[in-house]
Amino acid sequence: MSVTVRIPTPLRKLTDGRSEVAVEATDVRSAVTALEASYPGFGERLLDDEGNLRRFVNVFVRDEDVRFQQGLDTAVSDGDVVSIVPAVAGGCGAAR
């Protein structure tokens, strides 16, 4: 099944600037594996040493956060859009 993966700006250097790429996948885990195979570097940026999604990486399938579904085992269907969204952190500190 072909799914479209939306690539956030900080990771586009891995995809030669492409904001979306198509991969063959049946679930989020296989989408990440396919990304890594075609564009090395995604695995280490998205997954921790135990193979789980890093805390600061959010992945959405059909606009639903996979953490509230089956995580990396969340199924994808032909034509689905998988969005990778890095968490934004920070805030205003004391002015210097």
Side-chain angles (χ1 to χ4, degrees):
M1 291 177 224
S2 180
V3 299
T4 299
V5 180
R6 290 187 176 151
I7 310 298
T9 302
L11 297 178
R12 290 182 189 166
K13 60 187 172 197
L14 299 173
T15 59
D16 297 324
R18 293 185 185 114
S19 61
E20 294 183 346
V21 298
V23 297
E24 295 293 318
T26 56
D27 56 25
V28 173
R29 186 182 314 277
S30 62
V32 172
T33 300
L35 274 175
E36 176 64 23
S38 297
Y39 307 99
F42 270 97
E44 67 186 58
R45 286 172 175 81
L46 301 181
L47 305 176
D48 64 19
D49 292 339
E50 297 168 0
N52 300 310
L53 274 177
R54 291 189 182 278
R55 205 171 47 136
F56 55 84
V57 174
N58 300 304
V59 176
F60 295 83
V61 174
R62 295 175 300 273
D63 295 328
E64 296 290 330
D65 189 336
V66 300
R67 285 195 170 90
F68 299 106
Q69 298 181 53
Q70 287 79 43
L72 290 170
D73 296 324
T74 300
V76 295
S77 301
D78 195 41
D80 274 350
V81 175
V82 176
S83 299
I84 301 169
V85 181
V88 177
C92 59
R96 294 180 187 206

